[in-house]
Amino acid sequence: MNKIKDNNKLAIHMLIAMILGILVGLLFMAGREALGADSTAWTTINKILFQDITAKGAESAIGLFFIGGQLFIRALQLIIVPMVFCSVVMAISEISEASTLGRVSAKTIGWFMMTSSIALVTSGVIALFFYKVGLFNAHVEGVAAGSGSTGSNPLMVILNIVPSNIGATLSVNNAVLGVVFIAVVVGLSMNKLGLGKESVIYRFCDEVSKIIVVFLNFAVKKFGPVAIFMLLCRTFATYGIDYLKPALGYCVLTVVLLLAYLFIGYPLYIALICKLNPYTFIKKIFKVIVFGFSTSSSAATLPLNLDTTSNELGVDRQIASFVLPLGMTINMDGTAIMQVVATLFIAGCGGYDVSVFQLVIIMVLALIASMGTPAAPGAGAVILFTILSGVGFTGEQALIAYALILAINRPIEMLVTSLNCVGDSLTSIAVAKSEGKLDTDVYNK
């Protein structure tokens, strides 16, 4: 109960920080317009508070808000490689340890892939349409647009899946596909050797993952609100209305897509494929939706989800105990939707041209990245950086837009968590029904 209160308090603090950041930023923006962007007064204010101290000619600047925001972003980026590596290694290892379930493993992975792929294709096509009509355009005067690394030959992304140097791959944040490949190889090799949860490698990854979650929770809870205030205030003070409209478009479109998949997509799966009453599913799973939204953590929601899925929705306990923890690690429908829309939003802000082929690459990266996202608050937005690196959206405008995503994404990630948890329960029901281990009397009660 205290954990729920803490998470609700954090959400309130985040919301307050977001509102204050926007309001104070708009006040500074108005002051810049009144004083003049080239005036001595505004130049002094900008140097003290907002200046990018890494830019050329900024040797004498202080940039307090820039430093504060960048320290937070760098702290989150610090854990990308170990977070992805450990999550994937553990997920692959745990799949093997459930080998007695046989067909259940294949069906579970199949459902995860199907729901995530449909979510990605649907959201990707819709987001690309709004990107093409200019919903995400935000070209900041004086900052040149960049071109992605996929601009020369997008197939380089495929080539880079297999790295030539383990140390080099694990030492940078822009080689997520290589990190995933290494993790998969390690996990499959552990399976072949019969190394389970008692092995040194698994216990090492498990302990590193726990440390990462503690670090992530500490960073987000203790410094998140302050960093959000600084990031938003600097964004609006420096660039103002140029980012307000596309940010609003990103939020509205993402929320609509998430709600549509949650209350239309999942019930359709229940009705058309599982041949069950979708209203009963939504009614019983609704408390999981609320809990997931409140905690913004799939891990924290797992006990309630397991209890609801097995005791109220009639899923065999053994199947639910396998599918739900696995889904908490690799089934991220909501995260995938958020990441593909966010990537196109950042592409629009950064002035990048996105083709259909590049959209496919973005969706593949989003699918892989979402499967490596831990069940912890804020992890989805952190992993988003790996997608941006994979397609080369790392110019100045793109990074500014990415910082804005980090600042405004808390309410969206709360809804993302709800979607992820419901998707896990849906898969449990589908697999149990196909195996004849769903108690329909309990489900319909």
Side-chain angles (χ1 to χ4, degrees), residues 86-87 89-90 94 197 199-213:
C86 292
S87 296
V89 167
M90 291 170 64
E94 289 166 1
K197 292 186 177 181
S199 67
V200 174
I201 296 177
Y202 186 94
R203 286 189 284 113
F204 172 77
C205 290
D206 183 43
E207 291 179 3
V208 170
S209 294
K210 290 176 181 177
I211 292 172
I212 288 172
V213 170

PDB file of all heavy atoms in Angstrom, residues 86-87 89-90 94 197 199-213:
ATOM      1  N   CYS A  86      21.185  -7.890 -19.728  1.00  0.00           N
ATOM      2  CA  CYS A  86      20.741  -8.764 -18.646  1.00  0.00           C
ATOM      3  C   CYS A  86      19.291  -9.211 -18.826  1.00  0.00           C
ATOM      4  O   CYS A  86      18.954 -10.373 -18.568  1.00  0.00           O
ATOM      5  CB  CYS A  86      20.916  -8.057 -17.303  1.00  0.00           C
ATOM      6  SG  CYS A  86      22.643  -7.785 -16.842  1.00  0.00           S
ATOM      7  N   SER A  87      18.421  -8.302 -19.257  1.00  0.00           N
ATOM      8  CA  SER A  87      17.011  -8.644 -19.447  1.00  0.00           C
ATOM      9  C   SER A  87      16.854  -9.742 -20.498  1.00  0.00           C
ATOM     10  O   SER A  87      16.107 -10.702 -20.297  1.00  0.00           O
ATOM     11  CB  SER A  87      16.210  -7.411 -19.861  1.00  0.00           C
ATOM     12  OG  SER A  87      16.205  -6.445 -18.852  1.00  0.00           O
ATOM     13  N   VAL A  89      19.203 -11.927 -21.687  1.00  0.00           N
ATOM     14  CA  VAL A  89      19.832 -13.183 -21.256  1.00  0.00           C
ATOM     15  C   VAL A  89      18.913 -13.941 -20.302  1.00  0.00           C
ATOM     16  O   VAL A  89      18.689 -15.149 -20.449  1.00  0.00           O
ATOM     17  CB  VAL A  89      21.192 -12.904 -20.575  1.00  0.00           C
ATOM     18  CG1 VAL A  89      21.691 -14.160 -19.855  1.00  0.00           C
ATOM     19  CG2 VAL A  89      22.221 -12.467 -21.602  1.00  0.00           C
ATOM     20  N   MET A  90      18.342 -13.241 -19.342  1.00  0.00           N
ATOM     21  CA  MET A  90      17.473 -13.891 -18.363  1.00  0.00           C
ATOM     22  C   MET A  90      16.195 -14.406 -19.015  1.00  0.00           C
ATOM     23  O   MET A  90      15.719 -15.501 -18.697  1.00  0.00           O
ATOM     24  CB  MET A  90      17.149 -12.906 -17.239  1.00  0.00           C
ATOM     25  CG  MET A  90      18.336 -12.557 -16.357  1.00  0.00           C
ATOM     26  SD  MET A  90      17.983 -11.187 -15.236  1.00  0.00           S
ATOM     27  CE  MET A  90      16.702 -11.924 -14.223  1.00  0.00           C
ATOM     28  N   GLU A  94      15.051 -18.304 -19.051  1.00  0.00           N
ATOM     29  CA  GLU A  94      13.812 -18.728 -18.401  1.00  0.00           C
ATOM     30  C   GLU A  94      12.886 -19.466 -19.357  1.00  0.00           C
ATOM     31  O   GLU A  94      12.128 -20.345 -18.947  1.00  0.00           O
ATOM     32  CB  GLU A  94      13.109 -17.507 -17.798  1.00  0.00           C
ATOM     33  CG  GLU A  94      13.833 -16.964 -16.577  1.00  0.00           C
ATOM     34  CD  GLU A  94      13.354 -15.578 -16.180  1.00  0.00           C
ATOM     35  OE1 GLU A  94      12.445 -15.067 -16.845  1.00  0.00           O
ATOM     36  OE2 GLU A  94      13.911 -15.025 -15.218  1.00  0.00           O
ATOM     37  N   LYS A 197      18.997 -21.154 -13.314  1.00  0.00           N
ATOM     38  CA  LYS A 197      19.010 -19.983 -12.450  1.00  0.00           C
ATOM     39  C   LYS A 197      20.120 -20.026 -11.398  1.00  0.00           C
ATOM     40  O   LYS A 197      20.429 -18.994 -10.795  1.00  0.00           O
ATOM     41  CB  LYS A 197      17.654 -19.832 -11.759  1.00  0.00           C
ATOM     42  CG  LYS A 197      16.527 -19.463 -12.704  1.00  0.00           C
ATOM     43  CD  LYS A 197      15.242 -19.194 -11.944  1.00  0.00           C
ATOM     44  CE  LYS A 197      14.135 -18.744 -12.883  1.00  0.00           C
ATOM     45  NZ  LYS A 197      12.880 -18.447 -12.173  1.00  0.00           N
ATOM     46  N   SER A 199      23.172 -20.847 -12.085  1.00  0.00           N
ATOM     47  CA  SER A 199      24.462 -20.603 -12.720  1.00  0.00           C
ATOM     48  C   SER A 199      24.990 -19.213 -12.355  1.00  0.00           C
ATOM     49  O   SER A 199      24.231 -18.305 -12.001  1.00  0.00           O
ATOM     50  CB  SER A 199      24.341 -20.722 -14.238  1.00  0.00           C
ATOM     51  OG  SER A 199      23.541 -19.679 -14.755  1.00  0.00           O
ATOM     52  N   VAL A 200      26.292 -19.066 -12.454  1.00  0.00           N
ATOM     53  CA  VAL A 200      26.934 -17.793 -12.103  1.00  0.00           C
ATOM     54  C   VAL A 200      26.462 -16.679 -13.024  1.00  0.00           C
ATOM     55  O   VAL A 200      26.187 -15.563 -12.573  1.00  0.00           O
ATOM     56  CB  VAL A 200      28.471 -17.937 -12.178  1.00  0.00           C
ATOM     57  CG1 VAL A 200      29.135 -16.579 -11.953  1.00  0.00           C
ATOM     58  CG2 VAL A 200      28.964 -18.941 -11.157  1.00  0.00           C
ATOM     59  N   ILE A 201      26.357 -16.989 -14.319  1.00  0.00           N
ATOM     60  CA  ILE A 201      25.963 -15.965 -15.293  1.00  0.00           C
ATOM     61  C   ILE A 201      24.550 -15.467 -15.017  1.00  0.00           C
ATOM     62  O   ILE A 201      24.296 -14.256 -15.020  1.00  0.00           O
ATOM     63  CB  ILE A 201      26.073 -16.508 -16.734  1.00  0.00           C
ATOM     64  CG1 ILE A 201      27.530 -16.827 -17.065  1.00  0.00           C
ATOM     65  CG2 ILE A 201      25.508 -15.497 -17.733  1.00  0.00           C
ATOM     66  CD1 ILE A 201      27.722 -17.427 -18.445  1.00  0.00           C
ATOM     67  N   TYR A 202      23.627 -16.401 -14.774  1.00  0.00           N
ATOM     68  CA  TYR A 202      22.237 -15.996 -14.515  1.00  0.00           C
ATOM     69  C   TYR A 202      22.159 -15.161 -13.243  1.00  0.00           C
ATOM     70  O   TYR A 202      21.495 -14.116 -13.218  1.00  0.00           O
ATOM     71  CB  TYR A 202      21.330 -17.219 -14.401  1.00  0.00           C
ATOM     72  CG  TYR A 202      19.873 -16.845 -14.274  1.00  0.00           C
ATOM     73  CD1 TYR A 202      19.055 -16.770 -15.399  1.00  0.00           C
ATOM     74  CD2 TYR A 202      19.320 -16.521 -13.035  1.00  0.00           C
ATOM     75  CE1 TYR A 202      17.724 -16.401 -15.291  1.00  0.00           C
ATOM     76  CE2 TYR A 202      17.995 -16.142 -12.921  1.00  0.00           C
ATOM     77  CZ  TYR A 202      17.197 -16.089 -14.055  1.00  0.00           C
ATOM     78  OH  TYR A 202      15.881 -15.708 -13.937  1.00  0.00           O
ATOM     79  N   ARG A 203      22.809 -15.648 -12.179  1.00  0.00           N
ATOM     80  CA  ARG A 203      22.752 -14.905 -10.920  1.00  0.00           C
ATOM     81  C   ARG A 203      23.406 -13.529 -11.061  1.00  0.00           C
ATOM     82  O   ARG A 203      22.944 -12.549 -10.467  1.00  0.00           O
ATOM     83  CB  ARG A 203      23.428 -15.707  -9.809  1.00  0.00           C
ATOM     84  CG  ARG A 203      22.578 -16.887  -9.347  1.00  0.00           C
ATOM     85  CD  ARG A 203      23.133 -17.564  -8.104  1.00  0.00           C
ATOM     86  NE  ARG A 203      24.294 -18.392  -8.424  1.00  0.00           N
ATOM     87  CZ  ARG A 203      25.525 -18.141  -8.023  1.00  0.00           C
ATOM     88  NH1 ARG A 203      25.774 -17.072  -7.273  1.00  0.00           N
ATOM     89  NH2 ARG A 203      26.518 -18.936  -8.345  1.00  0.00           N
ATOM     90  N   PHE A 204      24.459 -13.453 -11.879  1.00  0.00           N
ATOM     91  CA  PHE A 204      25.102 -12.157 -12.124  1.00  0.00           C
ATOM     92  C   PHE A 204      24.129 -11.201 -12.820  1.00  0.00           C
ATOM     93  O   PHE A 204      23.965 -10.051 -12.407  1.00  0.00           O
ATOM     94  CB  PHE A 204      26.349 -12.352 -12.984  1.00  0.00           C
ATOM     95  CG  PHE A 204      26.972 -11.065 -13.454  1.00  0.00           C
ATOM     96  CD1 PHE A 204      27.740 -10.290 -12.614  1.00  0.00           C
ATOM     97  CD2 PHE A 204      26.768 -10.620 -14.762  1.00  0.00           C
ATOM     98  CE1 PHE A 204      28.300  -9.093 -13.040  1.00  0.00           C
ATOM     99  CE2 PHE A 204      27.315  -9.431 -15.201  1.00  0.00           C
ATOM    100  CZ  PHE A 204      28.094  -8.673 -14.340  1.00  0.00           C
ATOM    101  N   CYS A 205      23.472 -11.703 -13.889  1.00  0.00           N
ATOM    102  CA  CYS A 205      22.508 -10.869 -14.622  1.00  0.00           C
ATOM    103  C   CYS A 205      21.333 -10.472 -13.740  1.00  0.00           C
ATOM    104  O   CYS A 205      20.850  -9.338 -13.800  1.00  0.00           O
ATOM    105  CB  CYS A 205      22.005 -11.612 -15.861  1.00  0.00           C
ATOM    106  SG  CYS A 205      23.240 -11.807 -17.164  1.00  0.00           S
ATOM    107  N   ASP A 206      20.882 -11.410 -12.915  1.00  0.00           N
ATOM    108  CA  ASP A 206      19.759 -11.131 -12.016  1.00  0.00           C
ATOM    109  C   ASP A 206      20.117 -10.041 -11.025  1.00  0.00           C
ATOM    110  O   ASP A 206      19.343  -9.107 -10.789  1.00  0.00           O
ATOM    111  CB  ASP A 206      19.365 -12.416 -11.299  1.00  0.00           C
ATOM    112  CG  ASP A 206      18.147 -12.229 -10.406  1.00  0.00           C
ATOM    113  OD1 ASP A 206      17.188 -11.559 -10.850  1.00  0.00           O
ATOM    114  OD2 ASP A 206      18.143 -12.732  -9.266  1.00  0.00           O
ATOM    115  N   GLU A 207      21.313 -10.128 -10.454  1.00  0.00           N
ATOM    116  CA  GLU A 207      21.737  -9.125  -9.473  1.00  0.00           C
ATOM    117  C   GLU A 207      21.982  -7.772 -10.127  1.00  0.00           C
ATOM    118  O   GLU A 207      21.634  -6.725  -9.559  1.00  0.00           O
ATOM    119  CB  GLU A 207      22.987  -9.615  -8.739  1.00  0.00           C
ATOM    120  CG  GLU A 207      22.709 -10.804  -7.828  1.00  0.00           C
ATOM    121  CD  GLU A 207      23.950 -11.304  -7.108  1.00  0.00           C
ATOM    122  OE1 GLU A 207      25.015 -10.675  -7.283  1.00  0.00           O
ATOM    123  OE2 GLU A 207      23.853 -12.309  -6.392  1.00  0.00           O
ATOM    124  N   VAL A 208      22.561  -7.791 -11.332  1.00  0.00           N
ATOM    125  CA  VAL A 208      22.759  -6.527 -12.058  1.00  0.00           C
ATOM    126  C   VAL A 208      21.409  -5.890 -12.373  1.00  0.00           C
ATOM    127  O   VAL A 208      21.238  -4.669 -12.230  1.00  0.00           O
ATOM    128  CB  VAL A 208      23.570  -6.763 -13.348  1.00  0.00           C
ATOM    129  CG1 VAL A 208      23.555  -5.505 -14.219  1.00  0.00           C
ATOM    130  CG2 VAL A 208      25.002  -7.141 -13.018  1.00  0.00           C
ATOM    131  N   SER A 209      20.434  -6.706 -12.788  1.00  0.00           N
ATOM    132  CA  SER A 209      19.097  -6.189 -13.098  1.00  0.00           C
ATOM    133  C   SER A 209      18.456  -5.563 -11.872  1.00  0.00           C
ATOM    134  O   SER A 209      17.808  -4.508 -11.960  1.00  0.00           O
ATOM    135  CB  SER A 209      18.210  -7.313 -13.643  1.00  0.00           C
ATOM    136  OG  SER A 209      18.687  -7.773 -14.879  1.00  0.00           O
ATOM    137  N   LYS A 210      18.618  -6.201 -10.725  1.00  0.00           N
ATOM    138  CA  LYS A 210      18.053  -5.646  -9.492  1.00  0.00           C
ATOM    139  C   LYS A 210      18.721  -4.321  -9.137  1.00  0.00           C
ATOM    140  O   LYS A 210      18.053  -3.370  -8.706  1.00  0.00           O
ATOM    141  CB  LYS A 210      18.217  -6.649  -8.351  1.00  0.00           C
ATOM    142  CG  LYS A 210      17.338  -7.886  -8.489  1.00  0.00           C
ATOM    143  CD  LYS A 210      17.601  -8.888  -7.376  1.00  0.00           C
ATOM    144  CE  LYS A 210      16.721 -10.126  -7.539  1.00  0.00           C
ATOM    145  NZ  LYS A 210      17.012 -11.141  -6.491  1.00  0.00           N
ATOM    146  N   ILE A 211      20.043  -4.265  -9.323  1.00  0.00           N
ATOM    147  CA  ILE A 211      20.763  -3.014  -9.057  1.00  0.00           C
ATOM    148  C   ILE A 211      20.279  -1.914  -9.990  1.00  0.00           C
ATOM    149  O   ILE A 211      20.080  -0.760  -9.579  1.00  0.00           O
ATOM    150  CB  ILE A 211      22.284  -3.232  -9.226  1.00  0.00           C
ATOM    151  CG1 ILE A 211      22.812  -4.149  -8.117  1.00  0.00           C
ATOM    152  CG2 ILE A 211      23.029  -1.897  -9.213  1.00  0.00           C
ATOM    153  CD1 ILE A 211      24.245  -4.576  -8.301  1.00  0.00           C
ATOM    154  N   ILE A 212      20.062  -2.278 -11.263  1.00  0.00           N
ATOM    155  CA  ILE A 212      19.595  -1.308 -12.253  1.00  0.00           C
ATOM    156  C   ILE A 212      18.227  -0.763 -11.871  1.00  0.00           C
ATOM    157  O   ILE A 212      17.973   0.444 -11.961  1.00  0.00           O
ATOM    158  CB  ILE A 212      19.564  -1.941 -13.651  1.00  0.00           C
ATOM    159  CG1 ILE A 212      20.986  -2.143 -14.173  1.00  0.00           C
ATOM    160  CG2 ILE A 212      18.757  -1.084 -14.627  1.00  0.00           C
ATOM    161  CD1 ILE A 212      21.070  -2.940 -15.450  1.00  0.00           C
ATOM    162  N   VAL A 213      17.327  -1.658 -11.451  1.00  0.00           N
ATOM    163  CA  VAL A 213      15.984  -1.225 -11.062  1.00  0.00           C
ATOM    164  C   VAL A 213      16.056  -0.272  -9.869  1.00  0.00           C
ATOM    165  O   VAL A 213      15.363   0.758  -9.834  1.00  0.00           O
ATOM    166  CB  VAL A 213      15.103  -2.449 -10.737  1.00  0.00           C
ATOM    167  CG1 VAL A 213      13.789  -1.999 -10.086  1.00  0.00           C
ATOM    168  CG2 VAL A 213      14.806  -3.239 -11.997  1.00  0.00           C
TER     169      VAL A 213
END
